[in-house]
Amino acid sequence: MPSVFQSLPLLRQAAPRLSKQFFTCHSPRHASKGANFSRKPSLTSQWRRAALQTRRATTASFSNGLQSSSPLQSLPSASTKTPFFPSTTSKSVAYWLLFSAGSVFGIVIFGGLTRLTESGLSITEWRPLTGSIPPLSLAAWDSEFNKYRSSPEFALLNPKMTLDEFKRIYYMEWTHRLWGRFVGLSFVLPAIYFVARRRVSLPMTGKIAGIASLIGFQGVLGWWMVKSGLKDDLFAPGSHPRVSQYRLTAHLGAAVVCYTAMLWNGLAILREQRYLSDPVAAQKTFAVLRSPEMKLFRRSVAGLAVLVFATAMSGGLVAGLDAGMIYNSFPYMGEGLTPPKSELWSDFYSRQPNRSDRWWRNMLENPALVQLDHRILATTTFTSIVALMAYTRLSPTLRRVLPAACKRGMHGVVGFACLQVALGIGTLLYLVPLPLASAHQAGALALLSWVVVLGGRTWGPSRRVVRMVAERAARGKVR
């Protein structure tokens, strides 16, 4: 009779060898008196032992077969813990950062419009939560208007302002503040979601947390700036009620840094994904960017970024002092290229008996010298950009190694620099009209954006990205 194990070779090999006596029932043997009684295992216990041996043998043979032939052996064991933060950041995070950068770009331009229309001091309180809702009744509007009547701006500039005129400037400032709340919420909530869904690497998580902190600090800076225009003791007696030019520049600078951080990191994520998709080509690009021929160009682009940022900050001082309302000619300032020395270094702005603070107070508080400083910085920036463009065209060594992406970025920087110079001169000649002044501010951010884009294409990735690309390229060669 054929055995049942013939259909299962593994089970047949592992089956125990049973004799014929296993199936024969024997009566117990009675030994002589005093002899020990020995009892053989029952049929049930022998069958259980045989089945257990069969199961162990089958499991061992099946495991050996998996280890030798199955691809599942390459999978990690159940005890291996998956790290919470991935090695790379998702592209969706990059698009969200670029959207946030665009939102900050818009609020910076709208903030400039708020200042140009003299609407920034219309709301005299800072209510981060309840301030999101505008006045909804006539009594609420009267209450807000009464608060504005107690401000220096109303007493000195707008003593005849009506409620309807007040509503117009109120809605400008309210929209600006509401936009700021939107920037904060649209950044913090998606950031929490992306981190919880494990779509952000650990280094990028730290950078996003820093940007979120900067957004919160920017709100505090905004109120600190507005507060400087609500009290008489914070500006010179009899002067035009305005916010402090120092606080205005700090508020603008924080916004520009926040915008640049969002733009830079969003573009960095996209570049990282592109490098990892083709590691061999990426390594060739890294070798070109690290070549000695590119050293001067890399440093020059970094210098351009510093110059553009410094020029924009000097523009904040010009706006805070209304320095664009004087010397509305170019390139001359009055009868010469510069105002008289006595006007530039006036003792009027000094607050120390020994006049030791005259030089820096004139540079930061004298409208004539502040405008001259802005002109010098703008001219220096434009000349540096044109010189760097000429270097990329006239240097045979640089022309041979400069990547095409860097050439396109340089063309964009030159184009926006020319546009910005034209907007700046037009804003000055036409006594700071609202459209030109707003476009000039937007041009400064656009120029800085292109310098950031050029820097990302020139400076190369971080060491972490270089290491990841090298590892992926090595794995590709092994395969």
Side-chain angles (χ1 to χ4, degrees):
M1 179 178 180
S3 173
V4 295
F5 296 102
Q6 289 179 356
S7 59
L8 298 174
L10 294 177
L11 295 177
R12 185 178 61 183
Q13 294 176 5
R17 297 295 185 263
L18 302 178
S19 63
K20 295 180 179 181
Q21 295 180 355
F22 178 82
F23 301 97
T24 305
C25 181
H26 298 277
S27 61
R29 295 180 180 180
H30 298 278
S32 60
K33 186 178 181 179
N36 295 329
F37 176 75
S38 176
R39 182 180 177 183
K40 287 188 177 182
S42 64
L43 178 63
T44 303
S45 62
Q46 290 188 22
W47 175 255
R48 289 177 179 175
R49 187 181 297 109
L52 180 62
Q53 293 176 358
T54 301
R55 188 183 306 164
R56 289 176 179 175
T58 304
T59 304
S61 301
F62 185 71
S63 300
N64 292 334
L66 283 178
Q67 294 176 1
S68 59
S69 60
S70 175
L72 296 177
Q73 62 181 347
S74 61
L75 295 177
S77 62
S79 60
T80 304
K81 293 184 179 180
T82 304
F84 182 83
F85 294 100
S87 58
T88 59
T89 303
S90 173
K91 282 187 177 180
S92 57
V93 179
Y95 299 138
W96 159 67
L97 283 173
L98 294 178
F99 168 79
S100 299
S103 184
V104 174
F105 187 101
I107 196 175
V108 170
I109 306 308
F110 194 82
L113 289 173
T114 303
R115 187 199 61 80
L116 290 169
T117 56
E118 297 182 346
S119 306
L121 300 178
S122 58
I123 302 180
T124 59
E125 294 177 337
W126 188 43
R127 296 172 293 175
L129 298 179
T130 59
S132 302
I133 302 175
L136 301 177
S137 63
L138 182 60
W141 276 113
D142 288 337
S143 176
E144 292 296 326
F145 194 25
N146 289 332
K147 294 174 185 177
Y148 179 69
R149 284 194 182 104
S150 62
S151 66
E153 183 178 74
F154 178 84
L156 297 176
L157 293 181
N158 303 317
K160 298 181 180 180
M161 176 177 282
T162 63
L163 181 59
D164 291 335
E165 293 172 341
F166 171 72
K167 287 182 179 180
R168 285 196 293 268
I169 64 172
Y170 185 95
Y171 274 122
M172 285 288 294
E173 176 63 13
W174 177 80
T175 303
H176 181 63
R177 296 191 183 190
L178 186 64
W179 198 336
R181 293 180 177 93
F182 170 77
V183 169
L185 291 177
S186 64
F187 189 87
V188 173
L189 295 182
I192 296 174
Y193 170 79
F194 285 128
V195 173
R197 297 288 294 176
R198 301 185 179 184
R199 296 183 182 180
V200 188
S201 63
L202 181 58
M204 187 57 62
T205 301
K207 297 174 183 178
I208 290 176
I211 296 174
S213 302
L214 185 58
I215 292 175
F217 180 65
Q218 175 71 349
V220 177
L221 275 179
W223 170 245
W224 182 60
M225 176 194 67
V226 171
K227 188 178 178 181
S228 66
L230 299 177
K231 294 183 179 180
D232 293 323
D233 57 349
L234 294 180
F235 51 89
S239 64
H240 182 86
R242 62 167 67 96
V243 298
S244 168
Q245 74 273 18
Y246 299 111
R247 301 186 186 188
L248 174 64
T249 305
H251 188 51
L252 174 64
V256 172
V257 170
C258 186
Y259 165 76
T260 305
M262 292 175 177
L263 178 65
W264 172 264
N265 287 292
L267 295 176
I269 294 172
L270 296 179
R271 284 195 303 269
E272 176 183 317
Q273 294 288 345
R274 185 172 67 252
Y275 290 148
L276 292 175
S277 63
D278 191 354
V280 176
Q283 286 184 321
K284 295 179 181 179
T285 302
F286 299 162
V288 172
L289 296 179
R290 291 194 299 263
S291 62
E293 294 84 357
M294 290 284 295
K295 185 176 181 180
L296 179 59
F297 185 77
R298 291 196 306 267
R299 293 183 176 180
S300 299
V301 173
L304 279 185
V306 175
L307 273 175
V308 172
F309 181 81
T311 306
M313 293 305 99
S314 70
L317 292 175
V318 171
L321 294 170
D322 287 332
M325 298 295 186
I326 61 175
Y327 292 111
N328 300 103
S329 59
F330 189 86
Y332 295 100
M333 297 181 70
E335 297 180 357
L337 292 175
T338 64
K341 184 178 179 181
S342 59
E343 184 180 354
L344 294 177
W345 305 104
S346 174
D347 293 338
F348 173 78
Y349 300 96
S350 178
R351 299 182 185 178
Q352 298 295 333
N354 59 358
R355 310 301 183 192
S356 59
D357 59 342
R358 185 182 65 169
W359 67 274
W360 68 266
R361 284 197 179 275
N362 274 278
M363 292 184 67
L364 300 176
E365 299 178 5
N366 185 347
L369 186 55
V370 167
Q371 187 190 125
L372 178 62
D373 292 340
H374 187 62
R375 291 189 183 206
I376 293 174
L377 281 171
T379 304
T380 303
T381 302
F382 180 74
T383 304
S384 301
I385 291 174
V386 174
L388 185 59
M389 182 65 182
Y391 174 60
T392 61
R393 292 294 188 90
L394 300 179
S395 174
T397 304
L398 185 61
R399 288 182 61 184
R400 185 179 65 254
V401 299
L402 189 65
C406 296
K407 295 179 181 179
R408 293 192 298 268
M410 194 69 231
H411 293 159
V413 170
V414 172
F416 274 98
C418 294
L419 177 63
Q420 180 66 351
V421 168
L423 288 173
I425 295 175
T427 302
L428 184 67
L429 296 179
Y430 290 98
L431 298 176
V432 196
L434 190 63
L436 278 178
S438 182
H440 185 52
Q441 187 175 11
L445 273 182
L447 177 59
L448 181 62
S449 302
W450 268 103
V451 174
V452 170
V453 170
L454 177 60
R457 298 175 179 180
T458 303
W459 299 326
S462 62
R463 295 180 180 178
R464 183 184 67 87
V465 175
V466 173
R467 183 177 66 254
M468 291 172 57
V469 169
E471 292 174 355
R472 185 162 296 190
R475 289 198 300 267
K477 292 180 180 179
V478 171
R479 293 176 184 175

